[in-house]
mmCIF file of all heavy atoms in Angstrom:
data_model
loop_
_atom_site.group_PDB
_atom_site.id
_atom_site.type_symbol
_atom_site.label_atom_id
_atom_site.label_comp_id
_atom_site.label_asym_id
_atom_site.label_seq_id
_atom_site.Cartn_x
_atom_site.Cartn_y
_atom_site.Cartn_z
ATOM 1 N N ARG F 138 2.354 -6.163 1.088
ATOM 2 C CA ARG F 138 3.534 -6.627 0.377
ATOM 3 C C ARG F 138 4.714 -5.725 0.725
ATOM 4 O O ARG F 138 4.707 -4.553 0.437
ATOM 5 C CB ARG F 138 3.291 -6.590 -1.156
ATOM 6 C CG ARG F 138 4.480 -7.158 -1.962
ATOM 7 C CD ARG F 138 4.182 -7.123 -3.478
ATOM 8 N NE ARG F 138 4.127 -5.795 -4.010
ATOM 9 C CZ ARG F 138 3.809 -5.508 -5.303
ATOM 10 N NH1 ARG F 138 3.449 -6.480 -6.128
ATOM 11 N NH2 ARG F 138 3.871 -4.277 -5.727
ATOM 12 N N VAL F 166 3.480 -10.633 2.167
ATOM 13 C CA VAL F 166 4.129 -11.094 0.917
ATOM 14 C C VAL F 166 5.476 -10.338 0.902
ATOM 15 O O VAL F 166 5.494 -9.149 1.063
ATOM 16 C CB VAL F 166 3.264 -10.762 -0.288
ATOM 17 C CG1 VAL F 166 3.956 -11.160 -1.564
ATOM 18 C CG2 VAL F 166 1.914 -11.438 -0.187
ATOM 19 N N PHE F 168 8.827 -9.091 -0.851
ATOM 20 C CA PHE F 168 9.661 -8.814 -2.018
ATOM 21 C C PHE F 168 11.003 -8.218 -1.582
ATOM 22 O O PHE F 168 11.045 -7.507 -0.523
ATOM 23 C CB PHE F 168 8.945 -7.850 -2.940
ATOM 24 C CG PHE F 168 7.956 -8.413 -3.897
ATOM 25 C CD1 PHE F 168 7.191 -9.531 -3.539
ATOM 26 C CD2 PHE F 168 7.769 -7.863 -5.127
ATOM 27 C CE1 PHE F 168 6.274 -10.053 -4.454
ATOM 28 C CE2 PHE F 168 6.864 -8.378 -6.042
ATOM 29 C CZ PHE F 168 6.080 -9.490 -5.716
ATOM 30 N N ASP F 201 9.153 -14.018 -2.118
ATOM 31 C CA ASP F 201 8.013 -14.093 -3.051
ATOM 32 C C ASP F 201 8.269 -13.366 -4.349
ATOM 33 O O ASP F 201 7.633 -13.739 -5.335
ATOM 34 C CB ASP F 201 6.743 -13.519 -2.347
ATOM 35 C CG ASP F 201 6.339 -14.291 -1.102
ATOM 36 O OD1 ASP F 201 6.021 -15.485 -1.232
ATOM 37 O OD2 ASP F 201 6.334 -13.702 -0.052
ATOM 38 N N GLY F 202 9.116 -12.401 -4.346
ATOM 39 C CA GLY F 202 9.258 -11.623 -5.602
ATOM 40 C C GLY F 202 10.357 -10.556 -5.449
ATOM 41 O O GLY F 202 10.998 -10.445 -4.408
ATOM 42 N N ALA F 220 13.218 -14.898 -12.593
ATOM 43 C CA ALA F 220 12.072 -14.825 -11.638
ATOM 44 C C ALA F 220 10.814 -15.344 -12.241
ATOM 45 O O ALA F 220 10.059 -16.093 -11.594
ATOM 46 C CB ALA F 220 11.914 -13.363 -11.222
ATOM 47 N N ASN F 221 10.555 -15.005 -13.491
ATOM 48 C CA ASN F 221 9.311 -15.474 -14.148
ATOM 49 C C ASN F 221 9.325 -16.979 -14.292
ATOM 50 O O ASN F 221 8.284 -17.603 -14.183
ATOM 51 C CB ASN F 221 9.137 -14.779 -15.479
ATOM 52 C CG ASN F 221 8.776 -13.282 -15.323
ATOM 53 O OD1 ASN F 221 8.251 -12.882 -14.298
ATOM 54 N ND2 ASN F 221 9.071 -12.514 -16.343
ATOM 55 N N SER F 222 10.496 -17.591 -14.525
ATOM 56 C CA SER F 222 10.537 -19.035 -14.691
ATOM 57 C C SER F 222 10.288 -19.715 -13.365
ATOM 58 O O SER F 222 9.901 -20.909 -13.341
ATOM 59 C CB SER F 222 11.918 -19.412 -15.215
ATOM 60 O OG SER F 222 12.959 -19.292 -14.212
ATOM 61 N N LEU F 223 10.503 -18.986 -12.218
ATOM 62 C CA LEU F 223 10.294 -19.589 -10.925
ATOM 63 C C LEU F 223 8.977 -19.240 -10.290
ATOM 64 O O LEU F 223 8.733 -19.565 -9.112
ATOM 65 C CB LEU F 223 11.496 -19.174 -10.006
ATOM 66 C CG LEU F 223 12.886 -19.688 -10.370
ATOM 67 C CD1 LEU F 223 13.929 -19.001 -9.521
ATOM 68 C CD2 LEU F 223 12.939 -21.206 -10.264
ATOM 69 N N GLY F 224 8.148 -18.500 -11.020
ATOM 70 C CA GLY F 224 6.879 -18.079 -10.425
ATOM 71 C C GLY F 224 6.945 -16.994 -9.419
ATOM 72 O O GLY F 224 6.086 -16.887 -8.546
ATOM 73 N N MET F 225 7.991 -16.183 -9.483
ATOM 74 C CA MET F 225 8.156 -15.076 -8.556
ATOM 75 C C MET F 225 7.627 -13.766 -9.192
ATOM 76 O O MET F 225 7.765 -13.567 -10.365
ATOM 77 C CB MET F 225 9.622 -14.893 -8.189
ATOM 78 C CG MET F 225 10.236 -16.103 -7.550
ATOM 79 S SD MET F 225 12.038 -15.958 -7.265
ATOM 80 C CE MET F 225 12.056 -14.773 -5.884
ATOM 81 N N GLY F 226 7.042 -12.955 -8.376
ATOM 82 C CA GLY F 226 6.521 -11.668 -8.825
ATOM 83 C C GLY F 226 7.610 -10.623 -8.974
ATOM 84 O O GLY F 226 8.778 -10.854 -8.584
ATOM 85 N N SER F 227 7.278 -9.499 -9.578
ATOM 86 C CA SER F 227 8.280 -8.397 -9.720
ATOM 87 C C SER F 227 7.530 -7.072 -9.789
ATOM 88 O O SER F 227 6.457 -6.961 -10.392
ATOM 89 C CB SER F 227 9.092 -8.631 -11.002
ATOM 90 O OG SER F 227 8.290 -8.638 -12.162
ATOM 91 N N GLY F 248 9.428 -8.387 -19.248
ATOM 92 C CA GLY F 248 8.703 -9.336 -18.391
ATOM 93 C C GLY F 248 8.382 -8.768 -17.008
ATOM 94 O O GLY F 248 7.941 -9.576 -16.136
ATOM 95 N N THR F 250 6.323 -7.523 -14.039
ATOM 96 C CA THR F 250 4.906 -7.688 -13.760
ATOM 97 C C THR F 250 4.196 -6.356 -13.551
ATOM 98 O O THR F 250 3.061 -6.216 -14.008
ATOM 99 C CB THR F 250 4.727 -8.563 -12.488
ATOM 100 O OG1 THR F 250 5.439 -9.778 -12.658
ATOM 101 C CG2 THR F 250 3.297 -8.858 -12.194
ATOM 102 N N ASP F 312 -0.804 -7.080 -20.052
ATOM 103 C CA ASP F 312 -1.446 -7.277 -18.772
ATOM 104 C C ASP F 312 -0.576 -6.689 -17.643
ATOM 105 O O ASP F 312 -0.297 -7.367 -16.616
ATOM 106 C CB ASP F 312 -1.755 -8.744 -18.467
ATOM 107 C CG ASP F 312 -2.637 -8.980 -17.291
ATOM 108 O OD1 ASP F 312 -3.453 -8.056 -16.950
ATOM 109 O OD2 ASP F 312 -2.549 -10.038 -16.632
ATOM 110 N N TYR F 314 0.476 -4.334 -14.566
ATOM 111 C CA TYR F 314 -0.119 -3.747 -13.425
ATOM 112 C C TYR F 314 0.576 -2.429 -13.033
ATOM 113 O O TYR F 314 1.799 -2.347 -13.056
ATOM 114 C CB TYR F 314 -0.077 -4.692 -12.206
ATOM 115 C CG TYR F 314 -1.020 -5.862 -12.330
ATOM 116 C CD1 TYR F 314 -0.848 -6.885 -13.262
ATOM 117 C CD2 TYR F 314 -2.151 -5.941 -11.452
ATOM 118 C CE1 TYR F 314 -1.714 -7.964 -13.306
ATOM 119 C CE2 TYR F 314 -3.031 -7.015 -11.518
ATOM 120 C CZ TYR F 314 -2.823 -8.013 -12.470
ATOM 121 O OH TYR F 314 -3.667 -9.063 -12.572
ATOM 122 N N SER F 434 -5.681 -5.996 -6.516
ATOM 123 C CA SER F 434 -4.416 -6.155 -5.755
ATOM 124 C C SER F 434 -4.111 -7.613 -5.495
ATOM 125 O O SER F 434 -2.946 -8.011 -5.570
ATOM 126 C CB SER F 434 -4.436 -5.299 -4.500
ATOM 127 O OG SER F 434 -4.471 -3.935 -4.764
ATOM 128 N N ALA F 435 -5.135 -8.397 -5.171
ATOM 129 C CA ALA F 435 -4.937 -9.840 -4.995
ATOM 130 C C ALA F 435 -4.465 -10.489 -6.287
ATOM 131 O O ALA F 435 -3.591 -11.379 -6.292
ATOM 132 C CB ALA F 435 -6.208 -10.498 -4.471
ATOM 133 N N GLN F 436 -5.055 -10.072 -7.415
ATOM 134 C CA GLN F 436 -4.666 -10.620 -8.702
ATOM 135 C C GLN F 436 -3.192 -10.317 -9.014
ATOM 136 O O GLN F 436 -2.528 -11.139 -9.616
ATOM 137 C CB GLN F 436 -5.596 -10.111 -9.801
ATOM 138 C CG GLN F 436 -6.991 -10.720 -9.705
ATOM 139 C CD GLN F 436 -7.966 -10.035 -10.679
ATOM 140 O OE1 GLN F 436 -7.744 -8.934 -11.189
ATOM 141 N NE2 GLN F 436 -9.105 -10.713 -10.964
ATOM 142 N N GLU F 437 -2.707 -9.184 -8.643
ATOM 143 C CA GLU F 437 -1.315 -8.896 -8.853
ATOM 144 C C GLU F 437 -0.397 -9.840 -8.068
ATOM 145 O O GLU F 437 0.638 -10.279 -8.605
ATOM 146 C CB GLU F 437 -0.936 -7.417 -8.485
ATOM 147 C CG GLU F 437 0.531 -7.106 -8.762
ATOM 148 C CD GLU F 437 0.889 -5.674 -8.571
ATOM 149 O OE1 GLU F 437 -0.004 -4.764 -8.662
ATOM 150 O OE2 GLU F 437 2.097 -5.419 -8.317
ATOM 151 N N ILE F 438 -0.808 -10.200 -6.879
ATOM 152 C CA ILE F 438 -0.028 -11.133 -6.065
ATOM 153 C C ILE F 438 -0.057 -12.530 -6.684
ATOM 154 O O ILE F 438 0.977 -13.215 -6.782
ATOM 155 C CB ILE F 438 -0.613 -11.200 -4.609
ATOM 156 C CG1 ILE F 438 -0.282 -9.900 -3.887
ATOM 157 C CG2 ILE F 438 0.002 -12.364 -3.861
ATOM 158 C CD1 ILE F 438 -0.959 -9.757 -2.566
ATOM 159 N N PHE F 439 -1.206 -12.969 -7.144
ATOM 160 C CA PHE F 439 -1.345 -14.375 -7.602
ATOM 161 C C PHE F 439 -1.030 -14.558 -9.090
ATOM 162 O O PHE F 439 -0.826 -15.715 -9.505
ATOM 163 C CB PHE F 439 -2.759 -14.863 -7.289
ATOM 164 C CG PHE F 439 -2.969 -15.199 -5.844
ATOM 165 C CD1 PHE F 439 -3.443 -14.277 -4.965
ATOM 166 C CD2 PHE F 439 -2.686 -16.463 -5.370
ATOM 167 C CE1 PHE F 439 -3.593 -14.579 -3.607
ATOM 168 C CE2 PHE F 439 -2.794 -16.797 -4.036
ATOM 169 C CZ PHE F 439 -3.271 -15.825 -3.126
ATOM 170 N N LYS F 440 -0.888 -13.485 -9.871
ATOM 171 C CA LYS F 440 -0.608 -13.647 -11.281
ATOM 172 C C LYS F 440 0.645 -14.457 -11.534
ATOM 173 O O LYS F 440 0.653 -15.427 -12.321
ATOM 174 C CB LYS F 440 -0.524 -12.249 -11.945
ATOM 175 C CG LYS F 440 -0.129 -12.371 -13.439
ATOM 176 C CD LYS F 440 0.103 -10.990 -14.094
ATOM 177 C CE LYS F 440 0.586 -11.152 -15.501
ATOM 178 N NZ LYS F 440 0.857 -9.882 -16.175
ATOM 179 N N PRO F 441 1.856 -14.123 -10.923
ATOM 180 C CA PRO F 441 3.028 -14.907 -11.211
ATOM 181 C C PRO F 441 2.935 -16.337 -10.747
ATOM 182 O O PRO F 441 3.654 -17.215 -11.254
ATOM 183 C CB PRO F 441 4.105 -14.130 -10.483
ATOM 184 C CG PRO F 441 3.427 -13.325 -9.460
ATOM 185 C CD PRO F 441 2.084 -12.990 -10.029
ATOM 186 N N LEU F 442 2.070 -16.597 -9.781
ATOM 187 C CA LEU F 442 1.890 -17.960 -9.275
ATOM 188 C C LEU F 442 1.026 -18.812 -10.199
ATOM 189 O O LEU F 442 0.946 -20.030 -10.008
ATOM 190 C CB LEU F 442 1.265 -17.930 -7.875
ATOM 191 C CG LEU F 442 2.067 -17.203 -6.794
ATOM 192 C CD1 LEU F 442 1.296 -17.113 -5.508
ATOM 193 C CD2 LEU F 442 3.408 -17.835 -6.568
ATOM 194 N N LYS F 443 0.337 -18.095 -11.163
ATOM 195 C CA LYS F 443 -0.581 -18.793 -12.073
ATOM 196 C C LYS F 443 -1.623 -19.560 -11.293
ATOM 197 O O LYS F 443 -2.017 -20.662 -11.631
ATOM 198 C CB LYS F 443 0.162 -19.665 -13.039
ATOM 199 C CG LYS F 443 1.138 -18.929 -13.975
ATOM 200 C CD LYS F 443 1.857 -19.897 -14.911
ATOM 201 C CE LYS F 443 2.692 -19.131 -15.979
ATOM 202 N NZ LYS F 443 3.668 -18.215 -15.398
ATOM 203 N N LYS F 444 -2.183 -18.921 -10.247
ATOM 204 C CA LYS F 444 -3.182 -19.474 -9.452
ATOM 205 C C LYS F 444 -4.351 -18.521 -9.266
ATOM 206 O O LYS F 444 -4.122 -17.282 -9.323
ATOM 207 C CB LYS F 444 -2.608 -19.758 -8.033
ATOM 208 C CG LYS F 444 -1.579 -20.868 -7.957
ATOM 209 C CD LYS F 444 -0.896 -20.949 -6.606
ATOM 210 C CE LYS F 444 -1.873 -21.172 -5.467
ATOM 211 N NZ LYS F 444 -1.138 -21.263 -4.133
#
Side-chain angles (χ1 to χ4, degrees):
R138 184 177 71 185
V166 178
F168 277 34
D201 298 299
N221 289 337
S222 73
L223 294 171
M225 300 175 73
S227 60
T250 305
D312 191 27
Y314 286 70
S434 292
Q436 288 172 341
E437 182 173 335
I438 290 172
F439 283 91
K440 177 185 174 181
L442 300 174
K443 296 180 173 58
K444 293 170 57 178

